[in-house]
Amino acid sequence: MIKKLTDVLGDADWDRFHSYAKRVRSLEFDETVAYRSDPDTPDLDSTIIAVLSLHHPFGSAFLPGLQQLSWRTEGSALPMLPFLSRELKQLDLHMSTQIPATANEVFKAIVHRTPSLVIFYLKANVQGTTVDMSLARWLQTTTNLEEVSFPAYYLTPALIRALGSLPRLKRIGQNSRSNHSSDSSRQLQCFPPGSFPHLLDIGFNATLFEAPKFLLGSLEVASRLVHLVLHASGTLDSENILKFVRHVAQNCHMLTELGLDLFSGPRYGEQSLYPLKMELLESLYPCIRLEALDITYPLLFTFQENDVEEMGRAWPQMVLLHVCPDPDFSLPFGGRMGSSLSILSAFAKALPKLESVRFYLKKQEAPPFTGNLYPPYQFQNLNRVHFGLSPVPDGRLRHVGFYIASLCKERPTISCGRSNWHTGNLPSDWAGTKSAWKEVNDMVGFAMEVKRAGLSSLRDNVAE
């Protein structure tokens, strides 16, 4: 088949190919997807790519104008080399191999081949410490890089030095949970002085003891951060959680988004955990620019109306509030814990700019809907309400749907389910709970139609 393919490709075929190839700006290749077999069109495997590379008469890049490449493979990613144009702006690389040598050979081969790269996302199953040297050497040649995303525990000293030298880097993200529990024992190195001149956004793994030292190691960088996400490992004790948050409030004055993933400890189920207190949120009040707060934790959090009023005064621009929506049901917690559905009214009054909210509801409380679809305080742009692993309060689907709709000027989507980082057990009746929340979502849609019809009728009457 390969010989047949190379024999039939003449100069005219390559000219035609090149006329199309130079127009291509984006390519996605997924080796894990099974395509329909065609006897006259061979699969694009590594052998085919290697042979075509030998015969391609227009330079080393098949697609010279390519700007975005997504490559997913279970083996070596070397076959992507002919697609690395010098114009490439974004590279999404997903390697499922667990062999470090296979990953290392890729990073060694692409040194100096991506001079225009701006965004790099890496998903890999190999540990960061086994590929960091070759990955760092390549990254040092990507001087236009502005955004990177790595698997968990990839910020080794070698990578921190390489990334810190990049003059335009603004964001370091994390895209997956570690499969290697031994990674969490590695100490996180502080930023070297004078590094990361433009960093604004970082997500990282650290113990609650290490995290403050990591931030305080470079106060210049910390004072510039606008987005910070901590994926905590090790012991989740309340004292160190509070201490880290206070460090953030004291040193990250420009912060607009904060994420605390407090599910990351692989053995948290063996710890003596206690529910988070309102004191944790209060300690963040100095972050007056805060617009998004996302906290995941194995136990529930309960909002009180006076707490929400204080939050509104501290964070008038808040658009996203996600706080402990999905507890681990293998852990003991009080049956009456969680927030009342009526707290949504307090949110609408104190934080009317909210666009997304996530929290956990009490099961026993009846919905507070009184029949009024037009209360004085309503959300301006709320588009998603997520109740995590909550049951529908008191099972009254219609009342819950109408109550939520009454507080919204636009139709929100109602959803449930675990967060991306949740590792705990699901409730035993989860299938029924999901079905119930779907009905609530449908009922919200119906209630919004009734609400809009009422407003339209009112306007018509006024016009008359």
Side-chain angles (χ1 to χ4, degrees), residues 354-381:
L354 278 176
E355 298 175 7
S356 177
V357 62
R358 296 186 179 193
F359 62 100
Y360 188 91
L361 294 175
K362 294 178 181 178
K363 181 176 182 178
Q364 294 84 3
E365 184 181 270
F369 183 60
T370 60
N372 181 15
L373 281 173
Y374 312 100
Y377 299 104
Q378 299 182 35
F379 294 106
Q380 304 299 311
N381 297 295

PDB file of all heavy atoms in Angstrom, residues 354-381:
ATOM      1  N   LEU A 354     -23.962  38.028  39.973  1.00  0.00           N
ATOM      2  CA  LEU A 354     -23.562  36.623  39.850  1.00  0.00           C
ATOM      3  C   LEU A 354     -24.042  36.028  38.526  1.00  0.00           C
ATOM      4  O   LEU A 354     -25.199  36.199  38.133  1.00  0.00           O
ATOM      5  CB  LEU A 354     -24.126  35.800  41.011  1.00  0.00           C
ATOM      6  CG  LEU A 354     -23.362  35.819  42.330  1.00  0.00           C
ATOM      7  CD1 LEU A 354     -24.110  35.024  43.392  1.00  0.00           C
ATOM      8  CD2 LEU A 354     -21.949  35.270  42.153  1.00  0.00           C
ATOM      9  N   GLU A 355     -23.138  35.317  37.867  1.00  0.00           N
ATOM     10  CA  GLU A 355     -23.465  34.606  36.628  1.00  0.00           C
ATOM     11  C   GLU A 355     -23.467  33.097  36.825  1.00  0.00           C
ATOM     12  O   GLU A 355     -24.133  32.374  36.085  1.00  0.00           O
ATOM     13  CB  GLU A 355     -22.479  34.998  35.534  1.00  0.00           C
ATOM     14  CG  GLU A 355     -22.516  36.485  35.178  1.00  0.00           C
ATOM     15  CD  GLU A 355     -21.444  36.876  34.181  1.00  0.00           C
ATOM     16  OE1 GLU A 355     -20.764  35.960  33.663  1.00  0.00           O
ATOM     17  OE2 GLU A 355     -21.284  38.075  33.923  1.00  0.00           O
ATOM     18  N   SER A 356     -22.701  32.626  37.804  1.00  0.00           N
ATOM     19  CA  SER A 356     -22.633  31.194  38.090  1.00  0.00           C
ATOM     20  C   SER A 356     -22.507  30.990  39.589  1.00  0.00           C
ATOM     21  O   SER A 356     -21.675  31.625  40.246  1.00  0.00           O
ATOM     22  CB  SER A 356     -21.432  30.566  37.371  1.00  0.00           C
ATOM     23  OG  SER A 356     -21.312  29.191  37.684  1.00  0.00           O
ATOM     24  N   VAL A 357     -23.346  30.100  40.143  1.00  0.00           N
ATOM     25  CA  VAL A 357     -23.293  29.818  41.575  1.00  0.00           C
ATOM     26  C   VAL A 357     -23.407  28.315  41.789  1.00  0.00           C
ATOM     27  O   VAL A 357     -24.169  27.633  41.098  1.00  0.00           O
ATOM     28  CB  VAL A 357     -24.406  30.589  42.340  1.00  0.00           C
ATOM     29  CG1 VAL A 357     -25.792  30.172  41.881  1.00  0.00           C
ATOM     30  CG2 VAL A 357     -24.270  30.377  43.850  1.00  0.00           C
ATOM     31  N   ARG A 358     -22.613  27.807  42.730  1.00  0.00           N
ATOM     32  CA  ARG A 358     -22.630  26.380  43.083  1.00  0.00           C
ATOM     33  C   ARG A 358     -22.583  26.256  44.600  1.00  0.00           C
ATOM     34  O   ARG A 358     -21.698  26.820  45.252  1.00  0.00           O
ATOM     35  CB  ARG A 358     -21.426  25.638  42.496  1.00  0.00           C
ATOM     36  CG  ARG A 358     -21.372  25.589  40.995  1.00  0.00           C
ATOM     37  CD  ARG A 358     -20.228  24.705  40.523  1.00  0.00           C
ATOM     38  NE  ARG A 358     -20.169  24.609  39.076  1.00  0.00           N
ATOM     39  CZ  ARG A 358     -19.448  23.729  38.404  1.00  0.00           C
ATOM     40  NH1 ARG A 358     -18.685  22.870  39.066  1.00  0.00           N
ATOM     41  NH2 ARG A 358     -19.456  23.711  37.089  1.00  0.00           N
ATOM     42  N   PHE A 359     -23.514  25.493  45.164  1.00  0.00           N
ATOM     43  CA  PHE A 359     -23.477  25.210  46.589  1.00  0.00           C
ATOM     44  C   PHE A 359     -24.350  23.992  46.865  1.00  0.00           C
ATOM     45  O   PHE A 359     -25.016  23.475  45.973  1.00  0.00           O
ATOM     46  CB  PHE A 359     -23.910  26.428  47.419  1.00  0.00           C
ATOM     47  CG  PHE A 359     -25.323  26.892  47.177  1.00  0.00           C
ATOM     48  CD1 PHE A 359     -26.336  26.554  48.053  1.00  0.00           C
ATOM     49  CD2 PHE A 359     -25.642  27.684  46.075  1.00  0.00           C
ATOM     50  CE1 PHE A 359     -27.638  26.974  47.850  1.00  0.00           C
ATOM     51  CE2 PHE A 359     -26.934  28.120  45.862  1.00  0.00           C
ATOM     52  CZ  PHE A 359     -27.936  27.764  46.746  1.00  0.00           C
ATOM     53  N   TYR A 360     -24.345  23.525  48.106  1.00  0.00           N
ATOM     54  CA  TYR A 360     -25.073  22.313  48.490  1.00  0.00           C
ATOM     55  C   TYR A 360     -26.297  22.683  49.320  1.00  0.00           C
ATOM     56  O   TYR A 360     -26.243  23.558  50.183  1.00  0.00           O
ATOM     57  CB  TYR A 360     -24.155  21.386  49.300  1.00  0.00           C
ATOM     58  CG  TYR A 360     -24.764  20.025  49.578  1.00  0.00           C
ATOM     59  CD1 TYR A 360     -24.557  18.961  48.704  1.00  0.00           C
ATOM     60  CD2 TYR A 360     -25.516  19.801  50.723  1.00  0.00           C
ATOM     61  CE1 TYR A 360     -25.109  17.713  48.955  1.00  0.00           C
ATOM     62  CE2 TYR A 360     -26.079  18.559  50.978  1.00  0.00           C
ATOM     63  CZ  TYR A 360     -25.877  17.525  50.094  1.00  0.00           C
ATOM     64  OH  TYR A 360     -26.432  16.287  50.339  1.00  0.00           O
ATOM     65  N   LEU A 361     -27.407  21.995  49.062  1.00  0.00           N
ATOM     66  CA  LEU A 361     -28.677  22.303  49.708  1.00  0.00           C
ATOM     67  C   LEU A 361     -29.056  21.289  50.787  1.00  0.00           C
ATOM     68  O   LEU A 361     -28.747  20.104  50.678  1.00  0.00           O
ATOM     69  CB  LEU A 361     -29.806  22.321  48.671  1.00  0.00           C
ATOM     70  CG  LEU A 361     -29.760  23.410  47.603  1.00  0.00           C
ATOM     71  CD1 LEU A 361     -30.884  23.173  46.605  1.00  0.00           C
ATOM     72  CD2 LEU A 361     -29.877  24.776  48.229  1.00  0.00           C
ATOM     73  N   LYS A 362     -29.751  21.785  51.779  1.00  0.00           N
ATOM     74  CA  LYS A 362     -30.382  20.879  52.746  1.00  0.00           C
ATOM     75  C   LYS A 362     -31.488  20.087  52.064  1.00  0.00           C
ATOM     76  O   LYS A 362     -32.148  20.571  51.146  1.00  0.00           O
ATOM     77  CB  LYS A 362     -30.997  21.684  53.895  1.00  0.00           C
ATOM     78  CG  LYS A 362     -29.999  22.421  54.761  1.00  0.00           C
ATOM     79  CD  LYS A 362     -30.728  23.218  55.835  1.00  0.00           C
ATOM     80  CE  LYS A 362     -29.760  23.989  56.706  1.00  0.00           C
ATOM     81  NZ  LYS A 362     -30.455  24.811  57.729  1.00  0.00           N
ATOM     82  N   LYS A 363     -31.709  18.885  52.549  1.00  0.00           N
ATOM     83  CA  LYS A 363     -32.731  18.040  51.929  1.00  0.00           C
ATOM     84  C   LYS A 363     -34.124  18.308  52.481  1.00  0.00           C
ATOM     85  O   LYS A 363     -35.111  18.305  51.746  1.00  0.00           O
ATOM     86  CB  LYS A 363     -32.374  16.568  52.145  1.00  0.00           C
ATOM     87  CG  LYS A 363     -33.360  15.595  51.509  1.00  0.00           C
ATOM     88  CD  LYS A 363     -32.903  14.156  51.676  1.00  0.00           C
ATOM     89  CE  LYS A 363     -33.879  13.196  50.989  1.00  0.00           C
ATOM     90  NZ  LYS A 363     -33.440  11.785  51.102  1.00  0.00           N
ATOM     91  N   GLN A 364     -34.228  18.559  53.767  1.00  0.00           N
ATOM     92  CA  GLN A 364     -35.547  18.571  54.411  1.00  0.00           C
ATOM     93  C   GLN A 364     -36.331  19.866  54.200  1.00  0.00           C
ATOM     94  O   GLN A 364     -37.540  19.897  54.371  1.00  0.00           O
ATOM     95  CB  GLN A 364     -35.394  18.321  55.925  1.00  0.00           C
ATOM     96  CG  GLN A 364     -34.893  16.938  56.278  1.00  0.00           C
ATOM     97  CD  GLN A 364     -33.375  16.835  56.209  1.00  0.00           C
ATOM     98  OE1 GLN A 364     -32.697  17.815  55.948  1.00  0.00           O
ATOM     99  NE2 GLN A 364     -32.856  15.631  56.437  1.00  0.00           N
ATOM    100  N   GLU A 365     -35.661  20.937  53.847  1.00  0.00           N
ATOM    101  CA  GLU A 365     -36.349  22.224  53.827  1.00  0.00           C
ATOM    102  C   GLU A 365     -37.286  22.376  52.631  1.00  0.00           C
ATOM    103  O   GLU A 365     -36.937  22.065  51.499  1.00  0.00           O
ATOM    104  CB  GLU A 365     -35.318  23.353  53.795  1.00  0.00           C
ATOM    105  CG  GLU A 365     -35.939  24.730  53.859  1.00  0.00           C
ATOM    106  CD  GLU A 365     -34.882  25.805  53.796  1.00  0.00           C
ATOM    107  OE1 GLU A 365     -34.385  26.201  54.868  1.00  0.00           O
ATOM    108  OE2 GLU A 365     -34.554  26.236  52.691  1.00  0.00           O
ATOM    109  N   ALA A 366     -38.483  22.854  52.881  1.00  0.00           N
ATOM    110  CA  ALA A 366     -39.457  23.079  51.809  1.00  0.00           C
ATOM    111  C   ALA A 366     -39.074  24.310  51.004  1.00  0.00           C
ATOM    112  O   ALA A 366     -38.551  25.277  51.549  1.00  0.00           O
ATOM    113  CB  ALA A 366     -40.853  23.264  52.403  1.00  0.00           C
ATOM    114  N   PRO A 367     -39.317  24.310  49.674  1.00  0.00           N
ATOM    115  CA  PRO A 367     -39.008  25.474  48.833  1.00  0.00           C
ATOM    116  C   PRO A 367     -39.796  26.701  49.298  1.00  0.00           C
ATOM    117  O   PRO A 367     -40.986  26.598  49.618  1.00  0.00           O
ATOM    118  CB  PRO A 367     -39.453  25.022  47.435  1.00  0.00           C
ATOM    119  CG  PRO A 367     -39.495  23.532  47.506  1.00  0.00           C
ATOM    120  CD  PRO A 367     -39.860  23.188  48.906  1.00  0.00           C
ATOM    121  N   PRO A 368     -39.179  27.887  49.329  1.00  0.00           N
ATOM    122  CA  PRO A 368     -39.838  29.081  49.870  1.00  0.00           C
ATOM    123  C   PRO A 368     -40.651  29.856  48.839  1.00  0.00           C
ATOM    124  O   PRO A 368     -40.827  31.064  48.989  1.00  0.00           O
ATOM    125  CB  PRO A 368     -38.640  29.911  50.356  1.00  0.00           C
ATOM    126  CG  PRO A 368     -37.540  29.548  49.403  1.00  0.00           C
ATOM    127  CD  PRO A 368     -37.759  28.109  49.034  1.00  0.00           C
ATOM    128  N   PHE A 369     -41.146  29.197  47.809  1.00  0.00           N
ATOM    129  CA  PHE A 369     -41.891  29.924  46.769  1.00  0.00           C
ATOM    130  C   PHE A 369     -43.303  30.244  47.251  1.00  0.00           C
ATOM    131  O   PHE A 369     -44.043  29.372  47.703  1.00  0.00           O
ATOM    132  CB  PHE A 369     -41.955  29.093  45.495  1.00  0.00           C
ATOM    133  CG  PHE A 369     -42.632  29.791  44.347  1.00  0.00           C
ATOM    134  CD1 PHE A 369     -42.125  30.979  43.853  1.00  0.00           C
ATOM    135  CD2 PHE A 369     -43.781  29.257  43.785  1.00  0.00           C
ATOM    136  CE1 PHE A 369     -42.737  31.628  42.799  1.00  0.00           C
ATOM    137  CE2 PHE A 369     -44.404  29.897  42.732  1.00  0.00           C
ATOM    138  CZ  PHE A 369     -43.878  31.089  42.232  1.00  0.00           C
ATOM    139  N   THR A 370     -43.678  31.525  47.143  1.00  0.00           N
ATOM    140  CA  THR A 370     -44.995  31.973  47.622  1.00  0.00           C
ATOM    141  C   THR A 370     -45.949  32.317  46.485  1.00  0.00           C
ATOM    142  O   THR A 370     -47.071  32.761  46.725  1.00  0.00           O
ATOM    143  CB  THR A 370     -44.843  33.218  48.518  1.00  0.00           C
ATOM    144  OG1 THR A 370     -44.226  34.271  47.756  1.00  0.00           O
ATOM    145  CG2 THR A 370     -43.976  32.899  49.732  1.00  0.00           C
ATOM    146  N   GLY A 371     -45.507  32.144  45.247  1.00  0.00           N
ATOM    147  CA  GLY A 371     -46.352  32.454  44.093  1.00  0.00           C
ATOM    148  C   GLY A 371     -45.977  33.728  43.374  1.00  0.00           C
ATOM    149  O   GLY A 371     -46.507  34.025  42.299  1.00  0.00           O
ATOM    150  N   ASN A 372     -45.023  34.503  43.928  1.00  0.00           N
ATOM    151  CA  ASN A 372     -44.615  35.768  43.315  1.00  0.00           C
ATOM    152  C   ASN A 372     -43.443  35.539  42.363  1.00  0.00           C
ATOM    153  O   ASN A 372     -42.339  35.215  42.801  1.00  0.00           O
ATOM    154  CB  ASN A 372     -44.220  36.769  44.404  1.00  0.00           C
ATOM    155  CG  ASN A 372     -43.800  38.106  43.833  1.00  0.00           C
ATOM    156  OD1 ASN A 372     -44.051  38.402  42.651  1.00  0.00           O
ATOM    157  ND2 ASN A 372     -43.166  38.937  44.651  1.00  0.00           N
ATOM    158  N   LEU A 373     -43.661  35.716  41.077  1.00  0.00           N
ATOM    159  CA  LEU A 373     -42.599  35.551  40.083  1.00  0.00           C
ATOM    160  C   LEU A 373     -41.787  36.823  39.872  1.00  0.00           C
ATOM    161  O   LEU A 373     -40.830  36.827  39.087  1.00  0.00           O
ATOM    162  CB  LEU A 373     -43.183  35.106  38.730  1.00  0.00           C
ATOM    163  CG  LEU A 373     -43.550  33.629  38.590  1.00  0.00           C
ATOM    164  CD1 LEU A 373     -44.267  33.375  37.268  1.00  0.00           C
ATOM    165  CD2 LEU A 373     -42.304  32.759  38.692  1.00  0.00           C
ATOM    166  N   TYR A 374     -42.147  37.897  40.563  1.00  0.00           N
ATOM    167  CA  TYR A 374     -41.475  39.182  40.345  1.00  0.00           C
ATOM    168  C   TYR A 374     -41.054  39.813  41.663  1.00  0.00           C
ATOM    169  O   TYR A 374     -41.503  40.909  42.026  1.00  0.00           O
ATOM    170  CB  TYR A 374     -42.408  40.128  39.581  1.00  0.00           C
ATOM    171  CG  TYR A 374     -43.057  39.499  38.373  1.00  0.00           C
ATOM    172  CD1 TYR A 374     -44.375  39.022  38.445  1.00  0.00           C
ATOM    173  CD2 TYR A 374     -42.361  39.356  37.184  1.00  0.00           C
ATOM    174  CE1 TYR A 374     -44.969  38.425  37.353  1.00  0.00           C
ATOM    175  CE2 TYR A 374     -42.953  38.768  36.082  1.00  0.00           C
ATOM    176  CZ  TYR A 374     -44.257  38.291  36.161  1.00  0.00           C
ATOM    177  OH  TYR A 374     -44.842  37.695  35.074  1.00  0.00           O
ATOM    178  N   PRO A 375     -40.161  39.158  42.433  1.00  0.00           N
ATOM    179  CA  PRO A 375     -39.705  39.752  43.696  1.00  0.00           C
ATOM    180  C   PRO A 375     -38.839  40.982  43.408  1.00  0.00           C
ATOM    181  O   PRO A 375     -38.338  41.170  42.288  1.00  0.00           O
ATOM    182  CB  PRO A 375     -38.875  38.628  44.330  1.00  0.00           C
ATOM    183  CG  PRO A 375     -38.408  37.817  43.170  1.00  0.00           C
ATOM    184  CD  PRO A 375     -39.521  37.858  42.178  1.00  0.00           C
ATOM    185  N   PRO A 376     -38.631  41.849  44.390  1.00  0.00           N
ATOM    186  CA  PRO A 376     -37.901  43.107  44.155  1.00  0.00           C
ATOM    187  C   PRO A 376     -36.430  42.918  43.806  1.00  0.00           C
ATOM    188  O   PRO A 376     -35.847  43.751  43.114  1.00  0.00           O
ATOM    189  CB  PRO A 376     -38.062  43.867  45.471  1.00  0.00           C
ATOM    190  CG  PRO A 376     -38.382  42.821  46.484  1.00  0.00           C
ATOM    191  CD  PRO A 376     -39.173  41.773  45.760  1.00  0.00           C
ATOM    192  N   TYR A 377     -35.801  41.829  44.290  1.00  0.00           N
ATOM    193  CA  TYR A 377     -34.381  41.601  44.022  1.00  0.00           C
ATOM    194  C   TYR A 377     -34.219  40.369  43.145  1.00  0.00           C
ATOM    195  O   TYR A 377     -34.656  39.272  43.508  1.00  0.00           O
ATOM    196  CB  TYR A 377     -33.598  41.428  45.327  1.00  0.00           C
ATOM    197  CG  TYR A 377     -33.668  42.650  46.220  1.00  0.00           C
ATOM    198  CD1 TYR A 377     -34.479  42.663  47.352  1.00  0.00           C
ATOM    199  CD2 TYR A 377     -32.933  43.796  45.910  1.00  0.00           C
ATOM    200  CE1 TYR A 377     -34.546  43.783  48.168  1.00  0.00           C
ATOM    201  CE2 TYR A 377     -33.000  44.921  46.722  1.00  0.00           C
ATOM    202  CZ  TYR A 377     -33.801  44.916  47.843  1.00  0.00           C
ATOM    203  OH  TYR A 377     -33.872  46.020  48.641  1.00  0.00           O
ATOM    204  N   GLN A 378     -33.567  40.560  41.987  1.00  0.00           N
ATOM    205  CA  GLN A 378     -33.365  39.464  41.041  1.00  0.00           C
ATOM    206  C   GLN A 378     -31.948  39.525  40.470  1.00  0.00           C
ATOM    207  O   GLN A 378     -31.339  40.594  40.394  1.00  0.00           O
ATOM    208  CB  GLN A 378     -34.378  39.542  39.899  1.00  0.00           C
ATOM    209  CG  GLN A 378     -35.829  39.437  40.345  1.00  0.00           C
ATOM    210  CD  GLN A 378     -36.789  39.476  39.166  1.00  0.00           C
ATOM    211  OE1 GLN A 378     -36.489  38.960  38.091  1.00  0.00           O
ATOM    212  NE2 GLN A 378     -37.949  40.096  39.377  1.00  0.00           N
ATOM    213  N   PHE A 379     -31.438  38.369  40.070  1.00  0.00           N
ATOM    214  CA  PHE A 379     -30.128  38.303  39.412  1.00  0.00           C
ATOM    215  C   PHE A 379     -30.226  38.952  38.031  1.00  0.00           C
ATOM    216  O   PHE A 379     -31.182  38.725  37.291  1.00  0.00           O
ATOM    217  CB  PHE A 379     -29.671  36.848  39.250  1.00  0.00           C
ATOM    218  CG  PHE A 379     -29.394  36.139  40.544  1.00  0.00           C
ATOM    219  CD1 PHE A 379     -30.278  35.187  41.044  1.00  0.00           C
ATOM    220  CD2 PHE A 379     -28.232  36.413  41.262  1.00  0.00           C
ATOM    221  CE1 PHE A 379     -30.020  34.524  42.227  1.00  0.00           C
ATOM    222  CE2 PHE A 379     -27.966  35.756  42.455  1.00  0.00           C
ATOM    223  CZ  PHE A 379     -28.859  34.808  42.945  1.00  0.00           C
ATOM    224  N   GLN A 380     -29.185  39.712  37.686  1.00  0.00           N
ATOM    225  CA  GLN A 380     -29.188  40.404  36.400  1.00  0.00           C
ATOM    226  C   GLN A 380     -28.807  39.475  35.244  1.00  0.00           C
ATOM    227  O   GLN A 380     -29.415  39.528  34.168  1.00  0.00           O
ATOM    228  CB  GLN A 380     -28.215  41.590  36.441  1.00  0.00           C
ATOM    229  CG  GLN A 380     -28.480  42.571  37.565  1.00  0.00           C
ATOM    230  CD  GLN A 380     -29.859  43.205  37.482  1.00  0.00           C
ATOM    231  OE1 GLN A 380     -30.252  43.688  36.428  1.00  0.00           O
ATOM    232  NE2 GLN A 380     -30.591  43.182  38.580  1.00  0.00           N
ATOM    233  N   ASN A 381     -27.790  38.617  35.475  1.00  0.00           N
ATOM    234  CA  ASN A 381     -27.252  37.801  34.374  1.00  0.00           C
ATOM    235  C   ASN A 381     -26.960  36.362  34.786  1.00  0.00           C
ATOM    236  O   ASN A 381     -26.100  35.723  34.188  1.00  0.00           O
ATOM    237  CB  ASN A 381     -25.961  38.433  33.831  1.00  0.00           C
ATOM    238  CG  ASN A 381     -26.180  39.807  33.239  1.00  0.00           C
ATOM    239  OD1 ASN A 381     -26.873  39.954  32.240  1.00  0.00           O
ATOM    240  ND2 ASN A 381     -25.593  40.819  33.870  1.00  0.00           N
TER     241      ASN A 381
END
